[in-house]
């Protein structure tokens, strides 16, 4: 009987987490310094900030913990960031990017060897108090699952001095074709363990996108002392339809490895563990 009650409680907590209130989107400023400031953490200073893209393509988000594992931070989209909040009402959301968007990015073109469109780009110089840089993010897209393994491979990158550090668990660049569970969804695919299905009749997460990754950590070590360049870029590939988005955790752009940072005491860990268990996003298979 105890195990039955435990299972019921677990199910209730998980259901509550997945039906939590939708993301809150704020696009009141697309000033590059404001956008970069939303992710700035300890041990890093930034300068020479610039943003290129549409007025609806970048902003800040909050209330994302129950779905994304990230509470708040920076959101960038190939379309409109206002399309991000759930529920998943369509499998083909394409938002108006607003003024100033519509063109691609040459660095992203080179990454996938095809032309891109609707690029949003945030770039800045930075210095780190150590020889390392870390930050946390989630990639989401409407291209899942029906356009997996196609040319509609919307692309993004985190270029540090020209080197992309947005990598999947197996070392490939994070993209629709490199992180998925098949087309149609089968539970089998490259880096499938890092993918969450929100399509194919399994739209259980309160977010518009048909699929999204687990929270991933981008990192680079061995940086020389002095100034370096960071370029965060996202674009449509193949055509300008169906939005993709990047969510970068607020305060996570840091010189310290989040895995090695001292955590809370045992009671805090218990609370975090229970919350994480309730909010754990697993690929929907029903």
């Amino acid at each position: 009987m105890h195990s039955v009650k435990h299972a019921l409680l677990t199910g209730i907590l998980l259901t509550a987490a997945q039906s939590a209130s939708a993301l809150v989107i704020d696009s009141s400023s697309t000033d590059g310094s404001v956008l970069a400031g939303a992710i700035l953490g300890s041990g890093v200073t930034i300068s020479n900030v610039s943003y290129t893209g549409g007025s609806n393509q970048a902003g800040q988000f909050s209330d994302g913990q129950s779905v994304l594992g990230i509470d708040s931070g920076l959101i960038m989209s190939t379309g409109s960031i206002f399309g991000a909040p759930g529920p998943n009402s369509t499998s083909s959301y394409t938002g108006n990017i607003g003024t100033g968007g519509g063109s691609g990015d040459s660095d992203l073109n080179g990454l996938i060897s095809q032309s891109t469109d609707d690029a949003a780009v945030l770039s800045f110089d930075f210095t780190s108090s150590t020889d390392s840089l870390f930050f946390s993010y989630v990639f989401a897209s409407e291209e899942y699952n029906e356009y997996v393994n196609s040319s509609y491979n919307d692309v993004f990158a985190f270029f540090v001095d020209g080197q992309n550090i947005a990598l999947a668990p197996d070392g490939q660049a994070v993209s629709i074709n490199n992180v998925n569970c098949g087309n149609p969804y089968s539970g089998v695919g490259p880096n499938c363990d890092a993918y969450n299905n929100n399509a194919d009749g399994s739209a259980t997460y309160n977010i518009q996108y048909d699929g999204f990754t687990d929270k991933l950590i981008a990192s680079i070590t061995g940086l020389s002392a002095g100034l370096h360049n960071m370029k965060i870029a996202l674009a449509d590939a193949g055509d300008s339809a169906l939005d993709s988005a990047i969510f970068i955790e607020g305060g996570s752009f840091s010189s310290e490895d989040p895995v090695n940072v001292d955590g809370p005491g045992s009671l805090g860990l218990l609370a975090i563990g229970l919350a994480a268990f309730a909010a754990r996003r697993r690929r929907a298979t029903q």
Side-chain angles (χ1 to χ4, degrees), residues 53-125:
S55 57
N56 292 341
Q57 286 187 268
Q60 298 182 51
F61 72 94
S62 57
D63 290 355
Q65 182 66 44
S66 63
V67 176
L68 301 171
I70 297 175
D71 181 60
S72 61
L74 168 69
I75 176 174
M76 295 172 61
S77 172
T78 63
S80 172
I81 59 176
F82 292 104
N88 186 356
S89 58
T90 175
S91 63
S92 57
Y93 181 84
T94 304
N96 183 349
I97 63 175
T99 59
S103 60
D105 179 81
S106 59
D107 290 331
L108 292 177
N109 294 348
L111 197 63
I112 60 172
S113 299
Q114 68 182 92
S115 62
T116 57
D117 198 7
D118 297 339
V121 179
L122 177 66
S123 64
F124 49 87
D125 294 329

Side-chain angles (χ1 to χ4, degrees), residues 50-238:
S50 68
Y51 167 72
T52 303
S55 57
N56 292 341
Q57 286 187 268
Q60 298 182 51
F61 72 94
S62 57
D63 290 355
Q65 182 66 44
S66 63
V67 176
L68 301 171
I70 297 175
D71 181 60
S72 61
L74 168 69
I75 176 174
M76 295 172 61
S77 172
T78 63
S80 172
I81 59 176
F82 292 104
N88 186 356
S89 58
T90 175
S91 63
S92 57
Y93 181 84
T94 304
N96 183 349
I97 63 175
T99 59
S103 60
D105 179 81
S106 59
D107 290 331
L108 292 177
N109 294 348
L111 197 63
I112 60 172
S113 299
Q114 68 182 92
S115 62
T116 57
D117 198 7
D118 297 339
V121 179
L122 177 66
S123 64
F124 49 87
D125 294 329
F126 73 92
T127 58
S128 173
S129 62
T130 68
D131 68 347
S132 304
L133 177 72
F134 307 88
F135 58 98
S136 307
Y137 67 98
V138 169
F139 172 64
S141 182
E142 284 287 84
E143 302 286 1
Y144 290 118
N145 293 307
E146 61 268 40
Y147 294 107
V148 165
N149 299 324
S150 76
S151 61
Y152 304 113
N153 186 30
D154 290 4
V155 60
F156 78 96
F158 303 138
F159 294 110
V160 175
D161 299 334
Q163 174 187 348
N164 177 35
I165 64 170
L167 303 177
D170 68 352
Q172 296 187 88
V174 176
S175 70
I176 291 158
N177 289 347
N178 290 342
V179 183
N180 63 74
C181 291
N183 175 14
Y185 179 87
S186 64
V188 178
N191 297 292
C192 184
D193 286 344
Y195 174 71
N196 301 280
N197 184 35
N198 198 39
D200 304 328
S202 299
T204 57
Y205 302 103
N206 200 2
I207 191 171
Q208 179 64 62
Y209 303 107
D210 287 352
F212 56 100
T213 69
D214 285 347
K215 182 169 77 169
L216 303 174
I217 297 176
S219 65
I220 186 169
T221 59
L223 290 171
S224 60
L227 207 62
H228 297 272
N229 181 257
M230 179 75 205
K231 177 179 177 179
I232 302 169
L234 170 71
D236 280 322

